[in-house]
Amino acid sequence: TSTQVTTPSTTVGSTTTPQTTTAPSTEAGTKPTEVAGPADELTDIIEAIYKIKPIEIKVQTMPVDLANADAVKYNTGLSSAEKIKEATVSESMIGSQAYSLVLVRVKDNADLESVAKAMKEGIDQRKWICVEADDLRVVGAGDVILLMMVSSDFAEMVTADDITEAFKTVSGGTLSYDSK
């Protein structure tokens, strides 16, 4: 599957416009009960986020190998990839900069909240050892979860809330889960 590709690519802007869908209404004139979330590839969603909220950190964006339990735990905080279809991480290319944007697509929308909570509880905010990402936020829209963590040292440039707002925009303006 494409989630097992290990060739990294650098994310620098995008001309891709994110596509979103809305869940069908149950009755005419009523609002959908479920947020559909962004339907694009995870790398395209990340590019769209960076188009809305550019960052000055040089990042590398690549898929997470779901067959590698250590990679899954390190990048997502999850002890298992059982409930996820795919995951992509965008992190600083310099290890002493605590910055990590992770997108996970769950297999079943019903698992979004439990997977998001497990990600928040399981992620190591000091995974870089010498620095810590003390600004953490986990949100979801439809079947996509965003885990964003960054050092508050970068607060003038980017915060977890900044990236969350960009993700919310890419997702059609509505979140179905917010850890805040």
Side-chain angles (χ1 to χ4, degrees):
T1 66
S2 64
T3 58
Q4 296 180 353
V5 175
T6 57
T7 306
S9 62
T10 304
T11 301
V12 183
S14 170
T15 57
T16 303
T17 303
Q19 300 292 317
T20 58
T21 58
T22 45
S25 300
T26 54
E27 296 177 25
T30 62
K31 291 186 179 183
T33 57
E34 209 174 279
V35 176
D40 289 338
E41 294 292 322
L42 297 182
T43 54
D44 293 337
I45 296 168
I46 291 171
E47 287 181 16
I49 289 169
Y50 288 149
K51 188 174 181 182
I52 294 167
K53 177 54 184 155
I55 60 168
E56 297 170 17
I57 298 171
K58 189 169 183 171
V59 298
Q60 183 175 35
T61 298
M62 59 187 194
V64 176
D65 180 357
L66 299 184
N68 182 332
D70 292 333
V72 171
K73 179 67 175 169
Y74 180 81
N75 290 294
T76 69
L78 296 171
S79 57
S80 162
E82 177 183 6
K83 293 183 178 184
I84 61 176
K85 283 186 202 178
E86 61 181 327
T88 299
V89 61
S90 184
E91 291 193 337
S92 169
M93 294 178 75
I94 300 171
S96 61
Q97 293 179 327
Y99 176 91
S100 183
L101 184 162
V102 180
L103 291 182
V104 166
R105 190 175 303 273
V106 294
K107 291 177 181 176
D108 184 343
N109 290 22
D111 292 325
L112 183 113
E113 186 173 338
S114 65
V115 172
K117 286 178 180 179
M119 289 173 67
K120 184 175 182 181
E121 293 169 8
I123 197 67
D124 180 1
Q125 293 174 256
R126 292 191 57 83
K127 68 182 189 175
W128 303 273
I129 301 171
C130 59
V131 292
E132 178 180 9
D134 56 341
D135 182 8
L136 171 67
R137 186 110 176 251
V138 182
V139 297
D143 65 350
V144 179
I145 298 167
L146 164 77
L147 181 150
M148 178 60 205
M149 61 182 184
V150 63
S151 171
S152 58
D153 291 343
F154 296 117
E156 289 186 27
M157 176 185 54
V158 65
T159 65
D161 286 347
D162 293 337
I163 297 296
T164 297
E165 285 303 311
F167 174 73
K168 183 177 177 182
T169 299
V170 170
S171 300
T174 306
L175 297 174
S176 45
Y177 173 77
D178 191 344
S179 68
K180 196 170 187 177

